[in-house]
Amino acid sequence: MNPFHSRWTLHCAQGVTLAAALVTAPLVAHAQASAEEQAVASVVEKLRVAMVDPDQATLTSLTSPLLSYGHSGGKVDTQASFIGALMDKSSDFVSISLSDQTISISGNAAVVRHTLAGATNDRGTPGNVTIKVLTIWQKDGGQWRLLARQAVRPAGEAESLPPLPPPH
């Protein structure tokens, strides 16, 4: 057997192996990211359902004890006050739909953005809400938990609000 031919064959085989690795590595990474994105999408959906039909144990398991939950009007809830408002119906969602959702993952953190449209019945007063929402999820003990949330009114609505009163 020609030694040159054997080395050439070996180099070709190594080149093919390297090319295959370069082609498949992003696919494997994408599949892993997609699996994590699906896991985050799943907990976002569980939270949506739990906000419409509140269950204290479910809400507690989906949220961090360090939760900072910002409303579009400026109020900020803790985990306890967020769950308490849903349980006592002072914040009562009749329905929630989410659209335009994006999920970005970096290590054990996930950033989720979406538009929330919902029918409400806060303290027995029917209403509707459409807001843009940013949530930060943290993977803790293998489970994604809501760490922070901030809502804002969509760009045309915020500009049409009455001005804030002057500071005291």
Side-chain angles (χ1 to χ4, degrees), residues 1-163:
M1 177 174 250
N2 181 341
F4 173 75
H5 179 69
S6 295
R7 271 189 247 137
W8 183 81
T9 303
L10 178 62
H11 286 297
C12 285
Q14 289 172 336
V16 168
T17 301
L18 177 61
L22 291 174
V23 167
T24 58
L27 297 175
V28 170
H30 178 69
Q32 290 170 341
S34 292
E36 284 299 313
E37 287 171 6
Q38 288 174 359
V40 171
S42 175
V43 294
V44 169
E45 175 60 13
K46 287 177 185 174
L47 180 63
R48 184 195 68 77
V49 170
M51 289 174 67
V52 172
D53 187 16
D55 173 75
Q56 187 158 355
T58 300
L59 290 164
T60 301
S61 73
L62 291 171
T63 57
S64 167
L66 303 174
L67 179 64
S68 177
Y69 189 96
H71 296 266
S72 62
K75 179 182 175 190
V76 178
D77 276 318
T78 63
Q79 182 190 43
S81 62
F82 164 68
I83 294 171
L86 290 168
M87 297 306 296
D88 72 12
K89 303 290 187 189
S90 58
S91 179
D92 185 7
F93 285 97
V94 176
S95 66
I96 297 175
S97 66
L98 305 178
S99 61
D100 306 321
Q101 184 162 282
T102 62
I103 299 172
S104 301
I105 297 175
S106 178
N108 69 340
V111 175
V112 179
R113 288 184 175 273
H114 53 243
T115 300
L116 180 152
T120 61
N121 195 31
D122 298 351
R123 293 182 189 90
T125 305
N128 292 297
V129 63
T130 300
I131 51 178
K132 301 287 187 177
V133 177
L134 166 71
T135 56
I136 308 296
W137 296 79
Q138 182 179 40
K139 197 167 193 180
D140 177 27
Q143 180 178 338
W144 289 101
R145 295 189 195 322
L146 181 62
L147 180 63
R149 183 255 200 194
Q150 184 60 57
V152 296
R153 292 180 181 96
E157 284 185 36
E159 295 158 4
S160 66
L161 293 175

